[in-house]
Amino acid sequence: IFGEIYPVKAEVGVMRSMSAHGDYEDLCQFLACQNPELVRKLFLVHGEYDVQIDFAARLRRKHFKEVVIPDMHETHLLD
């Protein structure tokens, strides 16, 4: 790292059977325990923009009122 040698203190493994990223269904299942009426805002900050747009529409159909896709470095104040 930056020209310095460090001993390895980790073990690296490979998992070929699953994705590191949740798909629509995984994320919807994760949110299923939330009451959409009590969730003030959901921020989608990962993934391609067109996928975020589709996912935001899906979340709105599930009655999450404010789904935000912020621009890079955009800030939001929470009430």
Side-chain angles (χ1 to χ4, degrees):
I1 301 174
F2 298 113
E4 296 291 326
I5 296 176
Y6 295 90
V8 175
K9 296 182 180 180
E11 188 174 311
V12 178
V14 176
M15 296 179 65
R16 298 186 190 280
S17 63
M18 63 188 317
S19 169
H21 302 285
D23 62 10
Y24 283 155
E25 293 306 319
D26 292 335
L27 294 169
C28 286
Q29 184 176 359
F30 176 78
L31 290 170
C33 65
Q34 301 297 316
N35 179 343
E37 297 299 317
L38 299 177
V39 176
R40 293 189 305 197
K41 289 184 183 180
L42 273 174
F43 293 91
L44 301 182
V45 297
H46 187 71
E48 298 294 326
Y49 183 71
D50 58 333
V51 175
Q52 289 177 326
I53 293 291
D54 290 342
F55 189 43
R58 187 173 190 160
L59 291 171
R60 289 183 189 106
R61 286 192 302 273
K62 292 183 176 288
H63 306 289
F64 288 97
K65 292 176 284 217
E66 191 168 355
V67 182
V68 180
I69 303 170
D71 291 327
M72 186 177 286
H73 304 297
E74 183 176 331
T75 60
H76 287 259
L77 298 175
L78 298 178
D79 320 325

